């Protein structure tokens, strides 16, 4: 019986792209395996993921935005008192009512000054768009204080008036003019403030409520 001759065929492993005949060393990974390992390593994050930098200004601005909103609430209460005082002078129901209205108007002007001071203590620069909005609000409150004082002088001049017969002199005109400028500044403030209020879940107001 013819014995079978077993031919051993030695198959050499080559690195892809390497010169022919260059064998891979025993124990060394092939180039394709090494590349795959490198890609897997690059895909895996190293260490904990950092928070998104875009969300950081929002988190930082939340507290000053809430503080500014609290001032708006105080301002809304003052506006109602001023409106009532001006109406009291206009109606001239009695001398005592006009005198009380004058006192209320002067007190409102002082409170407006206080709001401006309180606003200066808030870090509005930490609110995205807060600096420009605060500048408009500061202007609005200063104009409102000017109007309050002008109307208070008008109330002083109206002492001794008769119901339905209240004089409207230069102080009254100054009050109306300053009030109009205050309204313009408030509207511009609200245009800038509305998206900030929405961002932080704060009330969206109109110029009558600040």
């Amino acid at each position: 019986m013819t014995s079978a001759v077993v031919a051993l065929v030695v198959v050499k492993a080559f690195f892809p792209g390497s010169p022919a005949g260059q064998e891979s060393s025993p124990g060394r990974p092939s180039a394709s395996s090494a590349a795959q390992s490198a890609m897997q390593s690059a895909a895996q994050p190293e260490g904990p993921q950092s928070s998104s930098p875009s969300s950081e200004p929002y988190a930082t601005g939340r507290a000053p935005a809430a503080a500014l909103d609290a001032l708006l609430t105080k301002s809304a209460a003052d506006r109602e008192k001023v409106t009532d005082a001006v109406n009291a002078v206009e109606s001239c129901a009695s001398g005592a009512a006009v005198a009380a209205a004058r006192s209320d108007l002067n007190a409102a002007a002082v409170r407006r000054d206080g709001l401006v001071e309180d606003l200066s203590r808030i870090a509005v620069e930490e609110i995205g768009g807060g600096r420009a909005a605060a500048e408009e609000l500061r202007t609005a409150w200063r104009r409102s204080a000017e109007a309050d004082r002008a109307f208070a002088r008008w109330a002083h001049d109206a002492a001794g008036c008769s119901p339905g017969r209240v004089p409207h002199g230069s102080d009254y005109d100054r009050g109306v003019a300053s009030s109009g400028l205050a309204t313009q500044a408030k509207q511009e403030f609200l245009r800038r403030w509305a998206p900030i209020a929405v961002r932080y879940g704060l009330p969206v107001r109109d110029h009558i409520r600040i």
Side-chain angles (χ1 to χ4, degrees):
M1 181 176 181
T2 306
S3 60
V5 178
V6 179
L8 299 177
V9 179
V10 179
V11 180
K12 294 184 178 181
F14 297 92
F15 283 101
S18 62
Q22 182 177 351
E23 298 181 357
S24 60
S25 301
R28 178 190 295 177
S30 66
S32 60
S33 298
Q36 185 176 3
S37 298
M39 292 175 63
Q40 291 175 346
S41 298
Q44 294 176 353
E46 295 182 5
Q49 294 294 308
S50 60
S51 59
S52 173
S54 61
S55 63
E56 186 64 23
Y58 290 170
T60 304
R62 185 174 300 278
L68 195 153
D69 181 72
L71 295 184
L72 297 179
T73 300
K74 292 174 63 176
S75 178
D78 282 335
R79 181 180 175 85
E80 292 179 3
K81 293 178 181 178
V82 167
T83 300
D84 291 343
V86 171
N87 289 337
V89 177
E90 193 69 62
S91 62
C92 190
S94 66
V98 172
R102 177 191 175 194
S103 177
D104 289 344
L105 288 164
N106 281 322
V110 172
R111 286 193 297 271
R112 308 268 201 192
D113 294 339
L115 288 171
V116 172
E117 292 179 5
D118 291 342
L119 180 61
S120 67
R121 299 187 185 99
I122 297 176
V124 294
E125 68 278 1
E126 295 181 0
I127 308 170
R131 192 190 298 272
E135 188 58 36
E136 294 294 340
L137 183 60
R138 185 177 293 108
T139 298
W141 282 339
R142 284 174 174 166
R143 294 297 189 184
S144 291
E146 292 173 2
D148 296 341
R149 291 187 169 94
F151 284 134
R153 292 191 298 270
W154 166 59
H156 177 268
D157 294 339
C161 60
S162 301
R165 299 176 62 89
V166 180
H168 296 87
S170 59
D171 286 320
Y172 176 84
D173 292 339
R174 290 190 189 95
V176 171
S178 294
S179 181
L181 293 173
T183 296
Q184 291 177 11
K186 288 177 182 179
Q187 290 172 336
E188 181 59 25
F189 160 74
L190 290 170
R191 185 183 69 81
R192 298 174 182 273
W193 177 253
I196 298 174
V198 171
R199 182 189 309 158
Y200 294 112
L202 300 170
V204 177
R205 305 168 185 265
D206 57 39
H207 72 277
I208 298 176
R209 294 180 174 84
I210 61 173

